Amino acid sequence: MNSNNHGGNEVVATVDGKNITRQEWMAAMEALYGKETLHSLVNDEVMERAAKEYGIQVTEDEVDLEIALTSSTQDLDTSLKIFEEQQVRKKIRSQLILEKVLTKDIVIEESEIKDYYEENKSLYDTPTTYRTSIIIVKSEEEAKQVQNELNNGSDFSILARERSIDTGSSSLGGNIGYISQDQTNVDPEIQKVVQYLKSGEISEPFQLSDGNFALLYVTGIIEGKSFALDEVSEHIKTELAMEQLPQNVSTEMFWKEFNVTSYYLK
């Protein structure tokens, strides 16, 4: 394909001889995701400012804990599946800052924290979870073709978009989020295979319960753990404090305080 590399006039695709330019592509992306993406960036920055203003600290251990707890229940992937690990960590950090700012003046007794822990101990006994991507095809022969392409250096996420028949994950580069051994909504054949993969490893082709064939790619592993009370006491304190607040609290509450201006607020 011949392309014009002059900024927005660069040709990124052609359809029956008609060019689609980078400018057209970017305009369509902005129309679909522009407002959401910009506001997400603004909210992340607002929360960093709020952390400095109110002396709020969020540690990497706290982010790790939140990921471990939410990935084991799939809550993390409902909203953050499309993001890479560092983006996920940033979003969770922003959320933790927001919760700490909102609850900084709410007092929770130690006895309440202990009682909550004892009543919800199972929540803090997390299984090993595997952040996984998948390519599903109709035959073993096709699965082996995909495997050969991967062995020759092709990118898993690109092949997932091009070759996978699983519409739910193909548009996400094959990403199906975190899965664990005790999930009931995952094909047992996937669970059998994923537990033997290391982070960064791609499986051999295998047959799914419905007769299709698949390859798995594990991009991260969170080891299972039983969290002691002292490891989750701050998390529980915040959870209990948040229950005392209205349900409609959000980062946008702080926009005026930190002088936010935005293209979409014009």
Side-chain angles (χ1 to χ4, degrees), residues 93-133:
R93 174 179 165 79
S94 294
Q95 183 62 30
L96 290 175
I97 293 171
L98 174 63
E99 292 175 357
K100 286 192 175 189
V101 170
L102 293 172
T103 62
K104 61 185 176 63
D105 297 323
I106 298 176
V107 177
I108 302 295
E109 301 295 336
E110 290 297 322
S111 58
E112 294 180 72
I113 295 172
K114 185 176 180 180
D115 288 345
Y116 184 92
Y117 177 78
E118 293 299 331
E119 292 169 7
N120 298 277
K121 223 168 187 178
S122 61
L123 296 177
Y124 304 107
D125 186 10
T126 62
T128 297
T129 56
Y130 305 81
R131 186 160 193 175
T132 308
S133 294

Side-chain angles (χ1 to χ4, degrees), residues 65 68-72 121-129 182 222-227:
L65 172 63
L69 295 177
T70 53
S71 64
S72 66
K121 223 168 187 178
S122 61
L123 296 177
Y124 304 107
D125 186 10
T126 62
T128 297
T129 56
D182 57 0
I222 300 176
E223 297 293 339
K225 182 178 178 180
S226 294
F227 290 94

Side-chain angles (χ1 to χ4, degrees), residues 192-205:
K192 288 177 187 177
V193 172
V194 75
Q195 63 181 309
Y196 296 108
L197 295 176
K198 299 175 183 177
S199 182
E201 188 175 6
I202 298 174
S203 74
E204 294 289 320

Side-chain angles (χ1 to χ4, degrees), residues 111-163:
S111 58
E112 294 180 72
I113 295 172
K114 185 176 180 180
D115 288 345
Y116 184 92
Y117 177 78
E118 293 299 331
E119 292 169 7
N120 298 277
K121 223 168 187 178
S122 61
L123 296 177
Y124 304 107
D125 186 10
T126 62
T128 297
T129 56
Y130 305 81
R131 186 160 193 175
T132 308
S133 294
I134 194 168
I135 295 174
I136 300 177
V137 292
K138 292 183 177 180
S139 69
E140 184 176 16
E141 180 182 3
E142 190 175 357
K144 288 181 177 178
Q145 290 173 357
V146 171
Q147 183 182 39
N148 286 335
E149 291 185 57
L150 292 168
N151 290 338
N152 288 327
S154 293
D155 183 87
F156 193 98
S157 63
I158 292 174
L159 284 181
R161 289 184 173 93
E162 292 177 348
R163 305 288 291 275

Side-chain angles (χ1 to χ4, degrees), residues 56-76:
I56 299 297
Q57 298 290 327
V58 171
T59 67
E60 291 300 304
D61 286 344
E62 288 177 289
V63 176
D64 288 340
L65 172 63
E66 199 67 24
I67 290 175
L69 295 177
T70 53
S71 64
S72 66
T73 62
Q74 288 293 289
D75 289 343
L76 177 67

